[in-house]
Amino acid sequence: QAFSYFEHSLQLRKETLSDDNVLIAWAYFNSASVLTKMKETEKSIQYYEEAIRRFLRINEIGICVPAYICIAEAYLDLNDCTKATNALEQAFTYEYEYYGEENCRKYWLYDIKSKILEKQGKNDEAAEYRAGLKKNIRNIFKVAKHNFHVSI
């Protein structure tokens, strides 16, 4: 039933807003999230892809990163490591393009990459990505702690 509300919201937005309105792209993204929770994996991928198409059309590439990560996770659920890797590569590309090396949220990317590698039986490589994930998270906390102390 939750999906029907999201679908109705999407239809209302499509009827009342211009086709390039960011709210329509968000409606596709949110609907895809609900479909993922409902285990409607193939349909969720279609909705994420439509959200990405719309976000790119209006030059909102930053939000494409979580959408591609969600697609990668969906393909992992379908045991398709090739398509999961392709989606993750797109996420990496947009993350670096949008945020740059200094501000890149690598923890998202490393987490999914380690899961893909585990599913492929490449446990040593997966462990390396998990180590990178832990290091990246520690660095985030160090910066946050420093910024907190500087601001008081």
Side-chain angles (χ1 to χ4, degrees):
Q1 185 175 355
F3 180 71
S4 65
Y5 291 115
F6 280 90
E7 189 69 15
H8 183 67
S9 171
L10 172 61
Q11 292 310 317
L12 288 174
R13 289 176 185 195
K14 287 169 73 174
E15 291 170 11
T16 59
L17 302 171
S18 65
D19 194 49
D20 62 348
N21 191 296
V22 71
L23 294 177
I24 295 174
W26 275 111
Y28 273 102
F29 184 89
N30 293 334
S31 295
S33 298
V34 171
L35 288 165
T36 298
K37 299 281 187 218
M38 296 170 52
K39 303 293 184 201
E40 298 266 349
T41 307
E42 283 102 2
K43 193 169 183 179
S44 73
I45 292 169
Q46 292 172 355
Y47 275 67
Y48 281 125
E49 287 174 342
E50 181 60 22
I52 289 168
R53 190 182 68 71
R54 289 173 177 274
F55 283 125
L56 289 175
R57 194 170 65 196
I58 57 176
N59 204 28
E60 290 283 344
I61 64 169
I63 193 59
C64 293
V65 176
Y68 274 118
I69 288 172
C70 291
I71 290 172
E73 288 180 317
Y75 279 124
L76 269 179
D77 287 345
L78 297 173
N79 294 314
D80 191 333
C81 291
T82 301
K83 288 184 179 178
T85 299
N86 292 340
L88 187 62
E89 286 173 1
Q90 285 295 321
F92 266 108
T93 299
Y94 285 122
E95 182 73 11
Y96 279 90
E97 180 181 328
Y98 190 75
Y99 293 102
E101 176 67 29
E102 289 299 311
N103 299 312
C104 183
R105 302 167 295 181
K106 296 175 189 165
Y107 55 91
W108 279 5
L109 306 167
Y110 289 174
D111 180 47
I112 303 305
K113 182 66 175 178
S114 69
K115 291 176 183 176
I116 292 171
L117 291 167
E118 283 175 353
K119 199 160 269 234
Q120 293 174 324
K122 299 176 182 176
N123 295 327
D124 291 341
E125 288 179 64
E128 289 177 32
Y129 273 93
R130 278 193 305 281
L133 170 66
K134 289 176 186 174
K135 180 182 176 187
N136 191 250
I137 290 173
R138 278 195 302 272
N139 288 341
I140 291 168
F141 284 118
K142 283 180 188 176
V143 169
K145 183 177 177 183
H146 172 75
N147 289 343
F148 177 75
H149 288 297
V150 169
S151 68
I152 18 183

